[in-house]
Amino acid sequence: HSSNINRDKASFIQFDICEFYPSITEIVLNKAIDFASKFHLISESEKEIIVSCRKSVLFDQGQPWRKVETNFDVAMGSHDGAEVSEIVGAYILNQIEEKLGEVKCNFNVGLYRDDGLIYLRQSNGPMINKITKILHKTFKDNGFKIKVEQIGKTVNFLDTTLSLIDGSYRPYRYIESLTVT
């Protein structure tokens, strides 16, 4: 209930996973599938299918082209690329929740594909620094890089503006600057 929130002490940390889809490796995907298997039965055959679907070969002017190191790829816009990002995201969110729980901060964390948001009920400068370091390390340990986009009382997350100043939320639409030629 919003009347129980001390908005003066609360804040948001908004972050973006840089190049999320192409940074997902076979190792991280397998760890994420193993993690998900704790909650839902995933057969060995299904695991094999999920990983095999990541093998891709591209053609340029009739010639096959492959990545230098591997043909494992999670492509944005592929049939199940979003689902792969979701399962990897859930795996990483679990790690973040465990590590932030050790810090003894009162928080909620969420991730939508490559966009993340943490809500801290009580925050201060040292706590925010500690949390951002944990975020960077957790993602780095899994082969990802993040950019903390915003720390504060108001954020534009996905298509919603969230404000701790007055407890409001409203639609948000990013409008790119228009260039007149």
Side-chain angles (χ1 to χ4, degrees):
H1 187 261
S2 64
S3 63
N4 295 334
I5 297 172
N6 184 345
R7 290 193 279 266
D8 292 336
K9 294 182 179 182
S11 66
F12 292 115
I13 300 174
Q14 183 180 3
F15 59 94
D16 181 66
I17 306 171
C18 305
E19 300 179 14
F20 187 31
Y21 286 67
S23 299
I24 297 172
T25 64
E26 187 169 353
I27 292 168
V28 171
L29 178 57
N30 280 319
K31 288 179 180 179
I33 292 170
D34 290 343
F35 167 75
S37 296
K38 295 176 185 177
F39 306 97
H40 183 79
L41 178 63
I42 302 173
S43 71
E44 287 303 315
S45 174
E46 290 168 323
K47 290 178 187 179
E48 211 173 288
I49 290 168
I50 294 167
V51 174
S52 293
C53 288
R54 310 281 60 83
K55 311 264 189 234
S56 62
V57 179
L58 300 175
F59 286 85
D60 180 32
Q61 298 179 6
Q63 297 297 313
W65 178 87
R66 340 176 0 167
K67 285 183 168 182
V68 175
E69 296 175 19
T70 179
N71 64 346
F72 182 89
D73 186 36
V74 178
M76 283 183 74
S78 65
H79 292 294
D80 65 345
E83 288 79 2
V84 169
S85 76
E86 298 289 337
I87 197 168
V88 170
Y91 168 66
I92 295 171
L93 274 178
N94 182 67
Q95 293 174 40
I96 292 168
E97 287 181 346
E98 286 177 358
K99 291 174 183 175
L100 291 184
E102 293 170 9
V103 176
K104 307 272 191 268
C105 62
N106 199 346
F107 69 96
N108 291 93
V109 60
L111 190 62
Y112 180 76
R113 311 251 163 88
D114 62 348
D115 296 306
L117 185 66
I118 296 177
Y119 165 68
L120 297 166
R121 286 174 188 75
Q122 302 250 343
S123 66
N124 56 43
M127 167 125 358
I128 288 173
N129 282 340
K130 193 171 205 172
I131 290 168
T132 56
K133 285 179 184 175
I134 288 169
L135 280 175
H136 283 284
K137 183 174 181 348
T138 303
F139 279 98
K140 184 179 179 186
D141 290 350
N142 286 286
F144 301 100
K145 183 179 169 191
I146 64 163
K147 177 183 174 193
V148 174
E149 294 184 329
Q150 197 169 355
I151 299 171
K153 302 276 185 204
T154 303
V155 293
N156 295 320
F157 186 69
L158 304 175
D159 61 355
T160 307
T161 297
L162 305 168
S163 175
L164 292 170
I165 296 167
D166 60 6
S168 67
Y169 56 95
R170 59 189 174 280
Y172 167 76
R173 189 174 73 159
Y174 177 76
I175 301 173
E176 291 188 42
S177 60
L178 299 174
T179 305
V180 179
T181 56

